[in-house]
Amino acid sequence: MVLLKRWLRRGVLLGLVAIILGGGPVAQAASKTVTKVPARAAYVMDAQSGQVLYQQNADKRYPIASLSKLLTVYLTVKAINDGKIKWTDQVPISRDLLKLSHSYAYSSLRMKKGETFTVKQMVAAAMIASSNSAATALGEYVAGSNAKFIALMNQQSKDWGLEAHFISSSGLDNTDLKDYNLVLPGTGKKEENLVSAKAITTVAQHLIQADPSIVQISGKKEDKINGTQIYNENMCLKGQSHYDKATNIDGLKTGFTENAKLCFTATYTVNGQRMIATILGGDTTFSAMNKLIKQLKKQYQLATTTLNDRRITLANGLSTTVWAQPTSSQAGVWYQDQAAGLTTTVETKLSPAQMSSGTVNAGDPVAQATVTDTKTGKQQAITYRSQQSVTLFADRVIFNEQTQPDPLLQTLVQPMATAFQ
């Protein structure tokens, strides 16, 4: 299978793609009905709450091409957040990946022998230019080998309960990978990544939560890596051929192979609320994405409540409090026919580790705000994080190496402990 990696390049091919994809932005539909998306599958969700606004064959696995890189980048960001690697680390590039980077069909960033790239540069190359060499190099660096990283991808999918099966970190299938010694042992000659629309949208949600700046990275129309110009294949970004002011798509990732067809996971905001939409296996996917988003904006309304910094009492009977900041400045619920009725509750929630040590560090989660729509029962949970480090009580000495829960502390925080049961 030939991967058309330069199908959206500047020049002659751009005009051809515009014809194939059905021209410019589609006008808003007069009806509030959401028409079926002309593709294999689709899924739209609120990135913060997970509330689903649209689904079509959402749980069926399909080829997703380079949307696979969303999980590769998530696992890279996770390794950074866990302190295992750093953004500034140099990523080794094997001889096979150098060869892959020189392929006209499969490459969007040509790499030179002896050239060095940081993790940050490789993430940018994978997200903006969909570089297969960059994505594979990240996987090998994070897990130690290509095979170990694929196992990590599948384990993460299993942990999240996703309908997904991965055989590559880039989205290339085995017919493409065979020439670069990247075929996973035990997989078929034509095997490929198979992932549902719901699953890859969920991956995108986790990625944005792990690193919100990924939206800004993926929203760049072009960039330079070590002096080499790279271009974004997302034609719905501002300034691109399918940008629509009414949808204002600002990220996230595209993918295309002859078998997967055009796949697209997009991010956009409505009244400050971050949304994620995926369409798999279409021919007019950019136009279809704009149309889908505009129809949903007509069908649904958003009710929001503002969340501010607040003082959190850490334990019953103790005077220790901290100023805490919500991870989002608002929470929202989508409704159709009946207006939402929002209520907000905030509960202290300390982890077993915090209870055991008797300490709370700056940045630790200490509470949860739950916004509930009393009309539908839909909820959104927002975490509050401490803005300072404190001990849970001032008149007792706390040793960080303590392994057994303090009896007094355990008694005082028993009401909160039940929240974890």
Side-chain angles (χ1 to χ4, degrees), residues 1-5 65-66 69 96-97 99-100 103 105-107 132 136 167-168 170-184 188-193 256-260:
M1 181 186 301
V2 177
L3 179 65
L4 304 181
K5 290 305 298 174
S66 285
K69 294 180 175 73
D96 286 325
L97 293 186
K99 178 183 176 183
L100 176 60
S103 166
Y106 308 138
S107 176
N132 295 306
T136 308
I167 56 92
S168 82
S170 63
L172 294 175
D173 61 37
N174 280 350
T175 61
D176 306 322
L177 297 170
K178 61 181 174 57
D179 295 327
Y180 306 98
N181 297 313
L182 291 172
V183 174
L184 194 67
K189 291 183 179 180
K190 297 182 179 181
E191 199 163 334
E192 58 192 330
N193 293 345
F256 180 84
T257 63
E258 289 181 337
N259 194 30

Side-chain angles (χ1 to χ4, degrees), residues 309-314 320-327 348-350 354 359-368 382-392:
D309 293 2
R310 63 187 297 156
R311 188 168 288 281
I312 302 295
T313 300
L314 294 181
T320 306
T321 62
V322 294
W323 276 103
Q325 183 178 45
T327 54
T348 301
K349 285 198 173 183
L350 300 185
Q354 290 168 327
T359 60
V360 169
N361 297 315
D364 281 356
V366 292
Q368 178 179 291
I382 302 293
T383 299
Y384 270 85
R385 295 184 178 274
S386 176
Q387 294 178 300
Q388 60 196 109
S389 297
V390 297
T391 57
L392 297 186

Side-chain angles (χ1 to χ4, degrees), residues 272-312:
Q273 198 80 353
R274 173 64 60 187
M275 308 296 294
I276 308 173
T278 293
I279 295 178
L280 300 182
D283 294 319
T284 60
T285 299
F286 292 138
S287 296
M289 182 66 79
N290 281 324
K291 181 178 180 179
L292 174 61
I293 292 172
K294 286 188 286 189
Q295 287 185 334
L296 289 173
K297 288 175 72 175
K298 280 195 166 188
Q299 188 179 56
Y300 284 90
Q301 297 183 65
L302 175 65
T304 63
T305 186
T306 301
L307 299 174
N308 299 311
D309 293 2
R310 63 187 297 156
R311 188 168 288 281
I312 302 295

Side-chain angles (χ1 to χ4, degrees), residues 17-185:
V17 169
I19 296 172
I20 295 174
L21 296 179
V26 179
Q28 289 191 13
S31 171
K32 289 183 68 175
T33 302
V34 178
T35 57
K36 184 177 179 181
V37 177
R40 292 167 176 160
Y43 194 79
V44 183
M45 69 184 293
D46 185 306
Q48 293 177 183
S49 68
Q51 183 178 350
V52 181
L53 275 66
Y54 182 83
Q55 51 186 324
Q56 174 183 315
N57 295 331
D59 292 313
K60 187 173 180 179
R61 298 182 185 184
Y62 291 104
I64 63 166
S66 285
L67 296 193
S68 307
K69 294 180 175 73
L70 293 173
L71 183 54
T72 298
V73 174
Y74 167 79
L75 291 171
T76 300
V77 170
K78 183 177 185 297
I80 293 169
N81 292 345
D82 290 344
K84 296 178 180 179
I85 64 174
K86 298 178 181 178
W87 286 108
T88 54
D89 287 354
Q90 299 291 325
V91 181
I93 308 297
S94 68
R95 181 178 300 178
D96 286 325
L97 293 186
L98 281 175
K99 178 183 176 183
L100 176 60
S101 79
H102 287 218
S103 166
Y104 180 85
Y106 308 138
S107 176
S108 55
L109 174 63
R110 188 182 180 92
M111 301 175 177
K112 306 179 186 68
K113 184 177 180 180
E115 192 174 16
T116 60
F117 301 89
T118 64
V119 171
K120 187 175 183 178
Q121 287 176 316
M122 292 287 89
V123 167
M127 290 300 299
I128 299 170
S130 200
S131 169
N132 295 306
S133 295
T136 308
L138 285 171
E140 291 178 349
Y141 185 64
V142 168
S145 72
N146 181 60
K148 288 180 179 178
F149 188 75
I150 304 305
L152 195 62
M153 295 176 78
N154 285 308
Q155 184 59 54
Q156 185 64 78
S157 299
K158 182 179 179 181
D159 291 345
W160 285 337
L162 303 183
E163 286 293 334
H165 175 66
F166 292 92
I167 56 92
S168 82
S169 55
S170 63
L172 294 175
D173 61 37
N174 280 350
T175 61
D176 306 322
L177 297 170
K178 61 181 174 57
D179 295 327
Y180 306 98
N181 297 313
L182 291 172
V183 174
L184 194 67

Side-chain angles (χ1 to χ4, degrees), residues 210-373:
D211 182 12
S213 71
I214 207 71
V215 174
Q216 285 71 49
I217 294 172
S218 68
K220 294 181 178 180
K221 289 193 302 178
E222 57 186 72
D223 201 0
K224 281 190 176 181
I225 304 291
N226 287 353
T228 300
Q229 196 77 18
I230 58 174
Y231 299 96
N232 202 322
E233 299 171 347
N234 182 350
M235 293 293 110
C236 286
L237 294 175
K238 189 174 183 179
Q240 303 280 57
S241 62
H242 282 69
Y243 174 72
D244 190 329
K245 187 177 180 180
T247 60
N248 197 30
I249 292 170
D250 55 6
L252 186 65
K253 191 73 191 72
T254 63
F256 180 84
T257 63
E258 289 181 337
N259 194 30
K261 306 176 81 173
L262 182 55
C263 301
F264 185 22
T265 294
T267 57
Y268 62 101
T269 57
V270 179
N271 298 334
Q273 198 80 353
R274 173 64 60 187
M275 308 296 294
I276 308 173
T278 293
I279 295 178
L280 300 182
D283 294 319
T284 60
T285 299
F286 292 138
S287 296
M289 182 66 79
N290 281 324
K291 181 178 180 179
L292 174 61
I293 292 172
K294 286 188 286 189
Q295 287 185 334
L296 289 173
K297 288 175 72 175
K298 280 195 166 188
Q299 188 179 56
Y300 284 90
Q301 297 183 65
L302 175 65
T304 63
T305 186
T306 301
L307 299 174
N308 299 311
D309 293 2
R310 63 187 297 156
R311 188 168 288 281
I312 302 295
T313 300
L314 294 181
N316 289 343
L318 296 177
S319 60
T320 306
T321 62
V322 294
W323 276 103
Q325 183 178 45
T327 54
S328 174
S329 61
Q330 72 175 32
V333 174
W334 296 89
Y335 66 94
Q336 291 176 283
D337 300 321
Q338 189 175 21
L342 302 184
T343 62
T344 303
T345 59
V346 179
E347 294 181 89
T348 301
K349 285 198 173 183
L350 300 185
S351 69
Q354 290 168 327
M355 293 163 55
S356 176
S357 67
T359 60
V360 169
N361 297 315
D364 281 356
V366 292
Q368 178 179 291
T370 302
V371 178
T372 304
D373 179 1

